[in-house]
Amino acid sequence: MNGFPILTPEFLQLLIIVCLSTPFLIPVVKRAAKVIPMIQIAFVSVFLVSAFLNPDGLPLKAVFGGWGNRRGVEILFDHTSLLFIAAAYIVFLAVFVYALSGKKEWQYYFLMNLILSTLTALFVANDLFNIYVTLELLSLLSYLMISYENRSRQIWASLKYMILGAVGFNIFLIGTALVYAHTGTLNMTVLSSMKTDATLPFLMIFSALLIKSGVFFYSIPETRSESSTTISAILSGIIIKAGLFHIIRISSVLNSPLINTYLLWTGVISAVAGTLIMLTQRDIKLILAFSTMSHVGFILAGGEVFGAEYAFAHAIIKALLFLSAGTIIKQYGSRNIERIQTMKKRLSLNNSLPLLIGFFSTAGLPFFLGSLFKKQIVYNLNPVLNLLLSLVSLGTTIAVGKIVLSVHYSFSFERLTPRTLSITFLAMVSLITGVYRTLPNLAVMHPGESLLFFSVGIALSLFLKNRTKVFYPNLLFKTRHVLGIYYLILGLLAGLSVL
Amino acid sequence: MFDSIELVFIITITLIGFYGVFFSENLIKKLLMLGVLNASTIGIFLYVGSFYSTIPPILSGTQKLFHYTEYADPLPQALVLTAVVIGFATQSLSLVYVMYVSRYFHTLEEEKIERVVENERISDLDA
């Protein structure tokens, strides 16, 4: 295929098989535990770069075995897959480098590498059952990783997430069975050409996927705040994108007004509620966990094109912020921003510059990653939602600004460690991709407006820093209440779809 | 819709599963109810597979090829096999976690654990 022999369906199949088998080398060659994931990352990067340079070669399709796409397992690699897989490999590269500074056992690298491979398989899955299998495998691995340090609160968060996930997956399976009964196939390409009007089954499938994407009603933020730094980064950065990826892909081939309204409003409510709760927190990791919730809302509201682009941006920014938060917590020995303010320690430039870049990107300053897509998402909505989401964006600036303003800065560099190297790498990626994406679309940007919003945000953040009361609505995140709301919304929508 | 007694049974079991997961306070009971829910999902798949016929899709030497409406659809059964295995894995992992939870908190009641966890979180933050 014009000079790119790599971009063939056969190579794609080989790639998936290689990715799913490399993690199992780690238990065999325990000494090479740190090297094997890097080799896999290098191998896949070659494929990703050639796909990026040769966009006409996409989409790639392949069916395993000779079963045909109606019954066989089909994989599809298109531009959305490229974005998400690239985000996954960038985040994981940073996380693997970051992990070098702590003393991790081979089990850690084995499970993390397995997560990466599962994500690769998940982002090319193109039939409902394959989606179920990869998503469930990913969830099982993430339950294990959340409780990796074996602390009581981690285990409890993981168990809650597991119960919620199990209910969600059963609903997903029921939806899948109904789709099969209606159409006789589970392949997404075939389903989209059938123009099926099966709203109820897809409603079930979407609500299950929403559980996996960390939106407001259906999520347990402790999973992201209680786990260790690298796990929080991959959970918030890339694992929640697994559900979002399939929401974006399936909703683009499906044309159901009810489902589109459901997704838009879930997104808006999630963005607003996430920001409101975020404003009243003092725990760094909880602030970032709720910020994820509000950004997921933006991605859902963005839909097919802008949503995917924004998901890529968010993956990198959130991983950067969580890893920077990890270095802050390491240096100050506390997660409480009120306590961090009172301490005399200063953050060196190696740590503070990436943190600031991450903050500018979430705040939506022009030319930083994420600003453009946030603008595009907001401008494509109706005026009321436009105003609402602009305020939400201001809220994000205020809340993340509290973290940035509570740390003291010094103007010296410290010795390069794996930690600083990893966050510097992520900051560089976000800077370069930010400028690369923004330059062709200068007309959409309104730099003055962004700067105004940013300065108002900073001023409010300074004003509110020590004046907000701490409020954590833990009632909302009990399994029982989450499940109750889940049943209620699903029942309501199922009733609407039948009528 | 409710023309077969099997479907009525399956839907009843599904509803019992949903009800049980929501209303049971004890974690072990919750997990048992998840098992019930999982079983009903498997039932739904089997029902979908036997839409046209319940004759197993196995050819013996003398038989001619069937028409697809004359035998049970093998695909849902093949798919549900995976779901059974995954359900088993989730169930065993969650039982291990329940074991840890009972060791840490000395109770299996959700409300009590939530209270302990919340107090611990706040005191850790102030420490």
Side-chain angles (χ1 to χ4, degrees), chain A residues 68-86:
Chain A
N69 65 356
R70 257 185 95 89
R71 303 224 140 184
V73 172
E74 193 191 43
I75 51 179
L76 167 72
F77 182 85
D78 57 4
H79 288 102
T80 325
S81 314
L82 175 63
L83 267 180
F84 278 79
I85 295 181

Side-chain angles (χ1 to χ4, degrees), chain A residues 286-478:
Chain A
L286 265 183
I287 292 180
L288 293 178
F290 283 112
S291 150
T292 303
M293 202 181 260
S294 91
H295 282 284
V296 168
F298 272 97
I299 295 168
L300 282 178
E304 193 188 343
V305 184
F306 305 129
E309 296 269 14
Y310 194 61
F312 173 83
H314 178 251
I316 289 175
I317 298 166
K318 201 36 63 69
L320 170 60
L321 281 175
F322 261 114
L323 293 182
S324 304
T327 57
I328 294 176
I329 294 167
K330 189 85 187 163
Q331 282 210 355
Y332 287 83
S334 171
R335 290 162 50 165
N336 187 342
I337 49 174
E338 287 167 7
R339 288 185 63 81
I340 286 175
Q341 274 180 62
T342 58
M343 290 187 198
K344 286 279 180 291
K345 285 176 189 159
R346 285 173 184 279
L347 212 58
S348 68
L349 278 177
N350 310 35
N351 292 327
S352 61
L353 280 180
L355 173 70
L356 285 175
I357 290 172
F359 169 57
F360 293 151
S361 308
T362 26
L365 270 190
F367 293 110
F368 284 93
L369 186 61
S371 54
L372 173 70
F373 313 121
K374 208 177 210 176
K375 275 232 141 53
Q376 283 170 329
I377 289 169
V378 171
Y379 282 139
N380 276 319
L381 295 170
N382 65 39
V384 181
L385 291 184
N386 185 334
L387 183 71
L388 202 64
L389 286 191
S390 300
L391 287 178
V392 164
S393 171
L394 186 68
T396 312
T397 314
I398 298 172
V400 183
K402 279 205 284 192
I403 302 178
V404 174
L405 290 172
S406 63
V407 184
H408 304 286
Y409 298 94
S410 81
F411 290 98
S412 61
F413 283 98
E414 65 173 274
R415 213 162 51 81
L416 214 60
T417 60
R419 282 206 177 91
T420 51
L421 191 68
S422 127
I423 54 176
T424 314
F425 164 71
L426 277 181
M428 293 304 282
V429 170
S430 90
L431 269 183
I432 293 167
T433 44
V435 172
Y436 170 78
R437 288 284 179 181
T438 318
L439 276 181
N441 298 299
L442 271 179
V444 193
M445 301 291 299
H446 298 269
E449 194 189 307
S450 306
L451 281 174
L452 183 73
F453 258 87
F454 178 72
S455 31
V456 171
I458 285 286
L460 280 175
S461 185
L462 267 176
F463 177 71
L464 290 173
K465 201 167 70 170
N466 294 321
R467 288 190 177 79
T468 38
K469 249 181 130 176
V470 180
F471 169 70
Y472 182 71
N474 64 329
L475 203 69
L476 270 176
F477 306 118
K478 286 181 180 167

Side-chain angles (χ1 to χ4, degrees), chain A residues 97-136:
Chain A
V97 173
Y98 192 94
L100 287 178
S101 56
K103 294 223 170 359
K104 308 275 193 205
E105 304 88 344
W106 62 269
Q107 287 95 331
Y108 174 87
Y109 289 97
F110 171 59
L111 291 173
M112 290 291 262
N113 197 358
L114 208 51
I115 290 183
L116 181 59
S117 303
T118 313
L119 277 168
T120 321
L122 188 138
F123 289 144
V124 294
N126 197 35
D127 64 90
L128 289 174
F129 205 80
N130 206 3
I131 294 171
Y132 164 73
V133 172
T134 45
L135 207 56
E136 181 83 69

